[in-house]
Amino acid sequence: MSKTFADKVRDVVRQIPKGKTMTYKEVAVKAGNPKAARAVGAVMRSNFNRDIPCHRVIYSSGQLGHYNRGGTLRKKAILKAEGALK
DNA sequence: TAGTTGACCGGAA
DNA sequence: ATTCCGGCCAACT
């Protein structure tokens, strides 16, 4: 397994279906480290690509996390557009 | 190599 | 409800 945590995270986040939101912890669990929620954010922040719908990743508290340029508002708009948000 | 930072999480005050 | 603290992990300097 030459895949690093970052690679796994990217793969997992990319598999998130449209109109669906996943928490950082869930992603961390699927990535292989249930306690690496923080690392997930750190990795995404350094690897945020258009291939990765990082906007579909939110807090486990149900709150929208941060986002590149704009922050929460951006995510809200995207989630609303995808139907993930009410 | 080691130390600091951060897009987190959960619990406590 | 808000604020603070400790813990885990990866990336950056």
Side-chain angles (χ1 to χ4, degrees), chain A residues 10 15-16 24 30 38 42 47 49 53-55 59 82:
Chain A
R10 285 210 318 160
Q15 285 170 55
I16 299 177
Y24 283 99
K30 290 188 180 294
R38 229 169 160 169
N47 286 300
N49 292 308
C54 13
H55 50 262
Y59 288 164
E82 300 206 333

Side-chain angles (χ1 to χ4, degrees), chain A residues 12-22 53 55-56 78-85:
Chain A
V12 172
V13 176
R14 225 211 253 188
Q15 285 170 55
I16 299 177
K18 181 178 152 219
K20 212 82 160 178
T21 51
M22 192 171 284
H55 50 262
R56 290 187 193 153
I78 298 168
L79 295 173
K80 198 159 175 267
E82 300 206 333
L85 195 65

